[in-house]
Amino acid sequence: MEVFEKHESQVRGYIRSFPVVFDKAIGAELFDEDGNRFIDFFAGAGTLNYGHNPEAAVEASIKYLQDRRIAHGLDKATVAKKTFIEVFVKYILEPRGYDYKMQFTGPTGTNCTEAAMKLARQVKGRANIVAFTNGYHGHTMGALAVTGNEAYRDASYGSRGAVSFMPFDGFLGDDIDTIHVFRRFLEDHGSGMETPAAVIVETVQGEGGINVASTDWLQRLAALCKEFDILLIIDDIQVGNGRTGKFFSFEEAGIEPDMVCLSKSIGGGNPMALLLMKPEADVWSPGEHTGTFRGNSMAFVAATELIQQYWADDKLTAEVARKSVIMLEALDGLRDEFPALNCKVRGRGLVLGIETPVAGFSDKVAARAFEKRLVCETCGADSQVNKLFVALNIEDELLHEGLALFREAFREVAQETL
Ligand code: PMP
């Protein structure tokens, strides 16, 4: 640890929660430099939906490098990119009847949300973007402006202009219909809200506390956007790529966003971001949103393998549903075991969390879990939710082993607290 403390900036984050030096990683297991084994219930915050170093991706990547095929291509045409596009169209877009155009932005999620907002403003010739309470869209200045959590926003002193926040589903309690609130702001000329170019929203807020938007809410949001000529951007960076079951998290709602942001797991663990846009929204001039690392060949190679392996049929979707039941049973059990803690279990598919409204509780559970060699994190504006993200293809044995460790950690902290 000394080398990091001495030379790495104070900005370092996860290294503080997980103070070991990681080395190897396979599937849902991590190993530190001393060979200690950890179970991964973090999955790179949604980057490792297919696990660490999935075999097919590793083999294809080694071969690609050994054959000295092109690694860096900016956004030139490469065989790796062509093959990825063909596979993505065949296995993801066509079966769903989507005709999105594809833009490879710089390889981080935040670059993708920036591009989406920039494009939406251009398409509509309006500045305002509506974001939702507890939303999270990245840490560059434009993305921060639509991110709710004050801990990230305050110290950046960036402009929050041209952004309006609206309450997410459930933010004002069960009895208040937040789509109705949004509608009132749009239709009343005295509301002070400029008609937005776009709305940016997550269907399940991953960083914001595992807040799930209901199907009905999403459908009414999509309809409201149509009615008021506003573009709908779904940020599927964390909960897309099968994490809720279907490839896209909005499929169940039957809505078709104007733009979709993908990153994290799309590159099979390699940096990659992909903005999907309806053809009529593709008003970019050539090279208008550029970047040096838009054509990450290694991500294309890995993604090509993984999409063919996992998205040719519905098996992974069924796996997610089956494992979700197992995990919910464990989380519901903990909630019921400690009624005095007033826990809430939330999520959909394998985006799951348990909220405990006791200051510091969830952080203690995550720290205790780590002592037991289970890697998991917290989320929510007050770190009030233990978030459990497993690789979608995690073996049942590891899933049960990890859940047992989480239960133990939770129980110990609950007993100490009550
Ligand atoms: N949007 C969402 C929904 C995210 O969860 C994240 C990352 N946690 C981002 C955007 C930003 O992605 P990145 O960290 O790769 O910039």
Side-chain angles (χ1 to χ4, degrees):
M1 280 299 141
E2 206 186 310
V3 71
F4 303 102
E5 280 154 21
K6 193 160 168 207
H7 298 291
E8 205 184 352
S9 157
Q10 291 295 343
V11 78
R12 59 197 194 280
Y14 286 120
I15 188 175
R16 299 171 198 269
S17 315
F18 311 122
V20 297
V21 181
F22 290 108
D23 189 13
K24 279 185 76 166
I26 309 164
E29 288 173 302
L30 289 156
F31 299 87
D32 70 11
E33 60 182 349
D34 300 319
N36 295 311
R37 166 188 172 267
F38 297 79
I39 296 181
D40 189 359
F41 269 30
F42 180 20
T47 307
L48 302 162
N49 285 5
Y50 312 105
H52 291 268
N53 292 314
E55 196 54 36
V58 169
E59 274 171 28
S61 304
I62 290 172
K63 173 104 183 57
Y64 190 85
L65 284 170
Q66 262 171 349
D67 293 348
R68 301 293 188 273
R69 314 237 341 246
I70 189 161
H72 179 257
L74 282 151
D75 75 341
K76 297 191 200 92
T78 64
V79 172
K81 182 161 151 183
K82 183 172 87 170
T83 315
F84 169 78
I85 292 175
E86 285 167 354
V87 162
F88 191 79
V89 169
K90 178 173 173 196
Y91 291 94
I92 306 296
L93 296 183
E94 271 177 6
R96 292 162 178 81
Y98 297 162
D99 64 348
Y100 290 117
K101 297 286 283 290
M102 299 158 75
Q103 177 184 359
F104 301 97
T105 68
T108 58
T110 198
N111 201 299
C112 192
T113 54
E114 292 275 349
M117 291 189 282
K118 212 162 127 182
L119 183 61
R121 284 172 166 146
Q122 244 188 76
V123 171
K124 291 297 173 198
R126 299 178 208 140
N128 197 26
I129 304 271
V130 162
F132 288 92
T133 49
N134 284 309
Y136 183 101
H137 303 288
H139 273 213
T140 47
M141 297 305 252
L144 262 185
V146 285
T147 289
N149 192 334
E150 64 183 17
Y152 298 134
R153 287 157 52 93
D154 279 358
S156 74
Y157 298 103
S159 167
R160 298 174 187 188
V163 172
S164 308
F165 274 87
M166 281 285 116
F168 190 71
D169 193 11
F171 185 77
L172 298 173
D174 290 343
D175 299 336
I176 296 180
D177 173 5
T178 58
I179 294 295
H180 181 65
V181 175
F182 188 10
R183 166 177 288 284
R184 288 290 302 126
F185 272 80
L186 289 172
E187 66 190 8
D188 193 312
H189 298 291
S191 73
M193 182 195 274
E194 280 176 40
T195 303
V199 157
I200 185 163
V201 67
E202 299 151 90
T203 65
V204 186
Q205 296 180 320
E207 300 299 324
I210 318 290
N211 309 311
V212 181
S214 71
T215 295
D216 173 65
W217 191 88
L218 288 171
Q219 287 168 346
R220 288 190 303 124
L221 177 65
L224 193 67
C225 286
K226 279 231 160 60
E227 187 183 333
F228 286 85
D229 186 33
I230 301 163
L231 297 177
L232 176 61
I233 305 168
I234 298 276
D235 180 347
D236 235 8
I237 288 169
Q238 181 153 163
V239 300
N241 291 294
R243 185 143 288 275
T244 61
K246 307 256 193 210
F247 186 84
F248 296 106
S249 70
F250 51 84
E251 281 182 58
E252 274 171 45
I255 57 172
E256 248 186 73
D258 298 287
M259 293 184 210
V260 183
C261 299
L262 288 173
S263 188
K264 294 199 189 261
S265 280
I266 186 70
N270 298 294
M272 172 168 165
L274 172 55
L275 175 63
L276 303 177
M277 68 198 77
K278 288 275 180 72
E280 59 273 22
D282 186 16
V283 302
W284 290 121
S285 313
E288 202 180 2
H289 186 88
T290 175
T292 305
F293 286 106
R294 279 170 298 156
N296 183 0
S297 298
M298 300 322 294
F300 289 142
V301 169
T304 297
E305 294 300 318
L306 294 165
I307 287 175
Q308 292 179 96
Q309 181 179 349
Y310 285 106
W311 295 102
D313 54 36
D314 292 334
K315 283 200 196 103
L316 189 64
T317 303
E319 271 296 274
V320 169
R322 187 177 68 77
K323 287 170 183 162
S324 180
V325 172
I326 296 172
M327 294 191 76
L328 277 171
E329 205 177 293
L331 294 177
D332 287 345
L334 285 171
R335 177 200 56 206
D336 297 344
E337 195 174 326
F338 301 101
L341 288 174
N342 278 318
C343 294
K344 284 202 181 81
V345 173
R346 278 202 296 267
R348 198 152 79 72
L350 288 175
V351 188
L352 295 170
I354 179 162
E355 176 177 29
T356 313
V358 175
F361 184 92
S362 307
D363 280 329
K364 278 191 205 150
V365 173
R368 189 66 57 91
F370 188 67
E371 285 167 27
K372 297 174 190 294
R373 303 209 172 127
L374 175 74
V375 178
C376 60
E377 68 164 341
T378 61
C379 64
D382 300 310
S383 257
Q384 77 281 23
V385 180
N386 283 107
K387 175 180 176 185
L388 301 186
F389 262 40
V390 296
L392 311 184
N393 57 359
I394 187 173
E395 297 86 348
D396 279 16
E397 213 173 282
L398 280 178
L399 178 64
H400 286 291
E401 194 182 333
L403 281 174
L405 294 175
F406 182 75
R407 264 201 222 98
E408 255 177 55
F410 192 98
R411 281 192 184 124
E412 284 174 20
V413 177
Q415 275 149 13
E416 286 160 21
T417 305
L418 292 168

